[in-house]
Amino acid sequence: MTNRAYSILSVKALDDAQRVITGIATTPTVDRVGDIIDPMGASFAATIPFLWQHVHDAPVGETKFGKPTANGIPFETKFVHPDSVESATLKDRLQLAWDSVKTGLVRAVSIGFRPIKYAFMDGGGIEFQEIEIFELSGVTIPANAEAVITAIKSMDTAARKAAGVPEPEIPAHPDDKAAPGKKVVVVKLVDPARDRAPPVVIKSIKPVRATQ
């Protein structure tokens, strides 16, 4: 399952004729515990899909990221023009997405990403030092960014449960395995030995006398 992170949409330019926007995907706060993403550690394909409201079967365009900086990642998103499609449903979605961003009704973007390297911070939370970004999405958010980002994450959780989709694999802090600030590489075993081993049943326990 892809992890998500949200940030305020900062539009630097908008070309209404070509339906292109350029902006900055600022360093986002992932959730209430204070997780952060280092933009300098982000990797991505040359072109990634731009989704509408994080619905994976509702793309509305494509995005190209620029060179990451410490303040965020510049991007250019080109929306598909409704006149280029025949489906009435798709036309409506494309027009809705463009009008919503153009008028400022949609004020945030969200990345879908896979964590590669991360560190547990002294004050709590996780610093994602290296990630792979799969997609960018336009999402609705009003002026109170922090409160609504939390609400969006809650809606994501409810939607996953309704669809029977597992939660994203964001690691918990292993107090007995890694010290705060230590770099950790995520490793997932495809066929762990413990799952293949037969169960062991203890039938009896015999006391052992100590020898002098």
Side-chain angles (χ1 to χ4, degrees):
M1 182 65 187
T2 301
N3 297 282
R4 297 174 182 175
Y6 304 88
S7 62
I8 296 296
L9 172 61
S10 176
V11 177
K12 298 178 65 178
L14 185 148
D15 185 334
D16 195 50
Q18 297 297 319
R19 301 211 169 194
V20 173
I21 63 171
T22 60
I24 299 292
T26 56
T27 304
T29 297
V30 179
D31 57 28
R32 289 171 294 178
V33 300
D35 297 347
I36 61 173
I37 289 177
D38 181 1
M40 301 299 290
S43 61
F44 38 81
T47 302
I48 62 173
F50 187 78
L51 306 181
W52 183 239
Q53 302 294 347
H54 255 313
V55 179
H56 285 77
D57 60 354
V60 294
E62 62 179 22
T63 294
K64 294 181 179 179
F65 283 120
K67 184 178 180 180
T69 71
N71 295 322
I73 308 174
F75 70 88
E76 177 182 280
T77 293
K78 181 174 178 58
F79 289 72
V80 175
H81 201 289
D83 292 345
S84 65
V85 301
E86 297 182 3
S87 167
T89 301
L90 181 54
K91 282 180 181 288
D92 289 343
R93 185 171 81 229
L94 295 173
Q95 190 62 48
L96 173 65
W98 176 251
D99 286 344
S100 297
V101 171
K102 176 182 171 182
T103 59
L105 292 175
V106 167
R107 302 179 183 177
V109 289
S110 174
I111 58 172
F113 71 94
R114 177 178 66 90
I116 298 175
K117 182 188 293 184
Y118 56 89
F120 297 103
M121 296 182 289
D122 293 334
I126 302 170
E127 178 188 13
F128 291 96
Q129 299 165 335
E130 293 183 12
I131 64 170
E132 180 181 3
I133 301 176
F134 294 117
E135 46 93 355
L136 184 70
S137 178
V139 291
T140 306
I141 185 168
N144 189 344
E146 183 176 355
V148 178
I149 287 174
T150 299
I152 293 173
K153 289 179 67 64
S154 297
M155 288 188 289
D156 284 345
T157 300
R160 291 191 195 100
K161 288 182 178 179
V165 177
E167 284 294 295
E169 295 180 1
I170 297 180
H173 195 310
D175 292 326
D176 58 343
K177 295 181 180 180
K182 181 179 180 180
K183 294 182 179 179
V184 181
V185 176
V186 178
V187 177
K188 184 176 181 180
L189 299 179
V190 176
D191 186 22
R194 67 172 182 271
D195 293 343
R196 291 183 277 106
V200 177
V201 178
I202 299 176
K203 295 182 178 180
S204 63
I205 299 176
K206 296 181 179 182
V208 178
R209 294 181 179 179
T211 58
Q212 297 295 330

